Amino acid sequence: MTLDPHALGLENLALETLENDVLCVTLNRPQKRNALDAQTIEELISLFALLPRSTVRAVVLAGAGDHFCAGLDLVEHHREDRRPEEFMQLCLRWHEAFNKMEYGGVPVIAALKGAVVGGGLELASAAHIRVADRSTYFALPEGQRGLFTGGGATIRVSDLVGKARMIDMILTGRIYQGEEAISVGLAQYLVEDSLAHAMSLAQAAAANLPLTNFAICSAISHMQNMSALDAAYAESVVAGVVNTQPDARARLAAFADKTAARVRPEKS
Ligand code: 1HE
């Protein structure tokens, strides 16, 4: 299935297909620092709903301009003067979009730079891997804006950094960047060029079998929501399906006949 941005009605997301069916999805409102308005959330839902049925093997999620994403579109929110139930419905659309990313089975690698704040951090935390550069900083400015998180930060950001750090971030506006951001778990990589590195990680992921990636990028998240007993049972079911897939036989044969690469650290 080819992904035609026009047919999908995408105005705020730019798509570029890279080698090996890796798709680069770029938040494309740099003049608004890629703030997430209702339209962008709908576009993310449309796109990520299609991906599991497409040939895309991995996604790089990036932002145009100097910032990954400035979070909720505060100007739209101010202008719309929403009622409580309207904002609740909007938040449910955010969850729809971010759950489709996290549970969709296609690896999503976020290439971060500049502001990754508020809803921008909620979006980044729904990716499977986060890559930061030296300009990247993370914050939850909701507390200062008279707001609260509504796009899953209480679940995903607290999963990444722990409850106490998340509360500190939203209560005091604490900003994390550089090595400290890595050490608390906000991103897994700190590199000079986050886009280039995210692309190379996406290529590595795309070399895995799609069914294996499907399990990695859906089952692990689902299992986090289960009791240990149920997760162990579900894991055995997923392993039963994935570890007997016919496409894996050639890889196992290559290991058995010693032609497959071995797992060894780089020589120092
Ligand atoms: C925006 C937004 C936005 C920029 N909504 N329009 N998020 C925040 O509290 C972060 C708000 N943004 C900022 O702090 C700064 O914009 C940045 C540090 C990200 C970038 O600064 P800078 O100097 O490069 O840009 P700027 O001059 O502040 O903004 C440039 C334009 O982007 C300007 O629009 P213009 O039409 O006047 O040119 C800004 O209005 C626009 N812009 N950020 C709308 N966020 C589900 S609940 C989630 C709750 C949250 O996410 S709260 C956190 C919100």
Side-chain angles (χ1 to χ4, degrees), residues 12-13 27-44 62-64 67-77 94 98 115 117-121 123:
N12 298 340
L13 300 178
L27 303 170
N28 201 19
R29 291 210 308 156
Q31 71 285 5
K32 300 292 178 194
R33 308 308 183 249
N34 301 318
L36 297 170
D37 61 353
Q39 165 78 15
T40 306
I41 294 294
E42 292 305 318
E43 293 186 16
L44 287 169
H67 299 278
F68 175 71
C69 177
L72 174 71
D73 189 319
L74 295 168
V75 176
E76 179 188 68
H77 187 54
W94 283 51
F98 297 174
V117 302
L121 177 52
L123 171 63

Side-chain angles (χ1 to χ4, degrees), residues 41-73:
I41 294 294
E42 292 305 318
E43 293 186 16
L44 287 169
I45 295 171
S46 305
L47 179 65
F48 282 97
L50 278 180
L51 285 193
R53 290 177 281 130
S54 74
T55 52
V56 170
R57 294 179 76 116
V59 169
V60 172
L61 181 65
D66 293 337
H67 299 278
F68 175 71
C69 177
L72 174 71
D73 189 319

Side-chain angles (χ1 to χ4, degrees), residues 18-19 22 57-60 107-112 128-132 187-191 193-208 213:
L18 310 173
E19 265 179 275
V22 170
R57 294 179 76 116
V59 169
V60 172
V108 181
I109 296 149
L112 306 176
H128 302 102
I129 302 179
R130 280 155 294 282
V131 183
Q188 293 102 310
Y189 297 88
L190 178 62
V191 294
D193 183 341
S194 55
L195 185 60
H197 198 68
M199 285 176 174
S200 78
L201 294 173
Q203 289 297 336
N208 298 337
N213 280 347

Side-chain angles (χ1 to χ4, degrees), residues 133-148:
D133 72 6
R134 291 274 161 200
S135 74
T136 306
Y137 61 98
F138 302 88
L140 292 172
E142 282 87 342
Q144 292 136 295
R145 304 266 183 238
L147 304 174
F148 188 65

